[in-house]
Amino acid sequence: MTTLTDAPAATAEKKARTEFNKLQKRLRREAGRAIEDYRMIEDGDRIMVCLSGGKDSYTMLEILRSLQKSAPISFELVAVNLDQKQPGFPEHILPEYLQHQGVPYHILERDTYSIVKEVVPEGKTTCGICSRLRRGTLYAFADRIGCNKVALGHHRDDILETFFLNLFFGGKLKAMPPKLLADSGTNVLIRPLAYCREADIQAFADHHQFPIIPCNLCGSQENLQRQTIKQMLQQWDRDHPGRSEIMFRALQNVAPSQLADGNLFDFQSLQAAAIPLTPAGEDSDMSPMANTRVNTWTPQ
């Protein structure tokens, strides 16, 4: 029997459950739409799900497993984590979590930490070379175990941040595509969370209480440029709600002829080819030159 004192708690619990159901449906819907828009997953795919132990990769795995149960096609998921031998890395967390979830997995062990420390001067950001070494190992392993797709946990905010990083610091109009052919040409990279907001992913991870492994174990400097961009985008969204959605749509709506890249659009061969037409009704208000006075001066 529910007492009067229990009623507010029960109401709050019901509201929280309703809000989480909405959040889960939204993430499933957005991931499903991204997968469909870019044809990320097809019947018979064997997908390597890259797990870092962060909120994004945990959420991606959970959403993909959920979609796997209801999808009209059949595909396989294999979780893979790379233990880079960073000091203090909790090796037990991911195996215990994946075993508890009944997810098949592989843990790769490669001491890239020592390589990075040897190559990168003290005080410099290690993220770049660390990421390249990690990707190379994971992509090679995907080939070894017969995975034709590699799923990465990047979300919409990651894609926008990367776009502005390249714009402000790299001089390129370049972001992270939702789907990409690896340099090796042997597997395809997919980002099923490409349409998902980081705030939604954070709320989803908080609800599930995923065993998060921090990404700063290596002791490298925080990527200050990315943090600056993140703060800028967050401020824009506070001042102008919905701006991130508009900016992301812009990445999907590119007009090469309105930019300046000669490799994307042939500006050099651009010439007028049509014969000018004189409107039938020259005196009409709709005529291009209607009610236009021309003042002309020619030097002697």
Side-chain angles (χ1 to χ4, degrees), residues 127-137:
C127 300
I129 185 171
C130 180
S131 177
R132 287 193 294 274
L133 289 170
R134 182 173 63 251
R135 287 198 304 265
T137 302

mmCIF file of all heavy atoms in Angstrom, residues 127-137:
data_model
loop_
_atom_site.group_PDB
_atom_site.id
_atom_site.type_symbol
_atom_site.label_atom_id
_atom_site.label_comp_id
_atom_site.label_asym_id
_atom_site.label_seq_id
_atom_site.Cartn_x
_atom_site.Cartn_y
_atom_site.Cartn_z
ATOM 1 N N CYS A 127 48.114 12.758 -28.088
ATOM 2 C CA CYS A 127 46.885 12.161 -28.626
ATOM 3 C C CYS A 127 47.012 11.738 -30.088
ATOM 4 O O CYS A 127 46.489 10.709 -30.492
ATOM 5 C CB CYS A 127 45.720 13.143 -28.472
ATOM 6 S SG CYS A 127 45.388 13.599 -26.753
ATOM 7 N N GLY A 128 47.698 12.543 -30.901
ATOM 8 C CA GLY A 128 47.775 12.269 -32.333
ATOM 9 C C GLY A 128 48.437 10.942 -32.649
ATOM 10 O O GLY A 128 47.863 10.070 -33.299
ATOM 11 N N ILE A 129 49.672 10.773 -32.198
ATOM 12 C CA ILE A 129 50.409 9.543 -32.507
ATOM 13 C C ILE A 129 49.795 8.345 -31.788
ATOM 14 O O ILE A 129 49.745 7.233 -32.343
ATOM 15 C CB ILE A 129 51.913 9.689 -32.143
ATOM 16 C CG1 ILE A 129 52.672 8.433 -32.591
ATOM 17 C CG2 ILE A 129 52.103 9.946 -30.659
ATOM 18 C CD1 ILE A 129 54.188 8.577 -32.478
ATOM 19 N N CYS A 130 49.283 8.578 -30.578
ATOM 20 C CA CYS A 130 48.624 7.490 -29.842
ATOM 21 C C CYS A 130 47.426 6.978 -30.626
ATOM 22 O O CYS A 130 47.215 5.771 -30.764
ATOM 23 C CB CYS A 130 48.194 7.993 -28.468
ATOM 24 S SG CYS A 130 47.361 6.757 -27.457
ATOM 25 N N SER A 131 46.644 7.901 -31.182
ATOM 26 C CA SER A 131 45.461 7.530 -31.956
ATOM 27 C C SER A 131 45.840 6.766 -33.216
ATOM 28 O O SER A 131 45.194 5.773 -33.571
ATOM 29 C CB SER A 131 44.676 8.793 -32.310
ATOM 30 O OG SER A 131 43.558 8.480 -33.107
ATOM 31 N N ARG A 132 46.891 7.208 -33.900
ATOM 32 C CA ARG A 132 47.307 6.520 -35.140
ATOM 33 C C ARG A 132 47.764 5.095 -34.857
ATOM 34 O O ARG A 132 47.422 4.166 -35.601
ATOM 35 C CB ARG A 132 48.416 7.322 -35.836
ATOM 36 C CG ARG A 132 47.927 8.595 -36.504
ATOM 37 C CD ARG A 132 48.981 9.162 -37.431
ATOM 38 N NE ARG A 132 50.162 9.617 -36.717
ATOM 39 C CZ ARG A 132 50.304 10.819 -36.170
ATOM 40 N NH1 ARG A 132 49.308 11.688 -36.245
ATOM 41 N NH2 ARG A 132 51.421 11.170 -35.559
ATOM 42 N N LEU A 133 48.538 4.923 -33.803
ATOM 43 C CA LEU A 133 48.992 3.578 -33.443
ATOM 44 C C LEU A 133 47.813 2.687 -33.066
ATOM 45 O O LEU A 133 47.751 1.516 -33.453
ATOM 46 C CB LEU A 133 49.978 3.656 -32.277
ATOM 47 C CG LEU A 133 51.365 4.234 -32.580
ATOM 48 C CD1 LEU A 133 52.128 4.479 -31.295
ATOM 49 C CD2 LEU A 133 52.147 3.303 -33.508
ATOM 50 N N ARG A 134 46.875 3.254 -32.329
ATOM 51 C CA ARG A 134 45.700 2.484 -31.907
ATOM 52 C C ARG A 134 44.878 2.055 -33.123
ATOM 53 O O ARG A 134 44.469 0.897 -33.235
ATOM 54 C CB ARG A 134 44.848 3.326 -30.950
ATOM 55 C CG ARG A 134 43.620 2.592 -30.427
ATOM 56 C CD ARG A 134 42.904 3.383 -29.355
ATOM 57 N NE ARG A 134 42.372 4.649 -29.846
ATOM 58 C CZ ARG A 134 42.857 5.849 -29.525
ATOM 59 N NH1 ARG A 134 43.905 5.946 -28.724
ATOM 60 N NH2 ARG A 134 42.312 6.951 -30.008
ATOM 61 N N ARG A 135 44.614 3.012 -34.023
ATOM 62 C CA ARG A 135 43.803 2.683 -35.201
ATOM 63 C C ARG A 135 44.473 1.615 -36.060
ATOM 64 O O ARG A 135 43.818 0.694 -36.551
ATOM 65 C CB ARG A 135 43.550 3.950 -36.025
ATOM 66 C CG ARG A 135 42.562 4.912 -35.413
ATOM 67 C CD ARG A 135 42.048 5.896 -36.468
ATOM 68 N NE ARG A 135 43.141 6.621 -37.112
ATOM 69 C CZ ARG A 135 43.575 7.816 -36.727
ATOM 70 N NH1 ARG A 135 43.037 8.407 -35.682
ATOM 71 N NH2 ARG A 135 44.547 8.414 -37.376
ATOM 72 N N GLY A 136 45.774 1.761 -36.262
ATOM 73 C CA GLY A 136 46.483 0.786 -37.099
ATOM 74 C C GLY A 136 46.356 -0.625 -36.555
ATOM 75 O O GLY A 136 46.113 -1.584 -37.307
ATOM 76 N N THR A 137 46.511 -0.774 -35.248
ATOM 77 C CA THR A 137 46.412 -2.094 -34.621
ATOM 78 C C THR A 137 44.994 -2.651 -34.738
ATOM 79 O O THR A 137 44.795 -3.825 -35.087
ATOM 80 C CB THR A 137 46.813 -2.005 -33.135
ATOM 81 O OG1 THR A 137 48.141 -1.482 -33.034
ATOM 82 C CG2 THR A 137 46.766 -3.376 -32.487
#
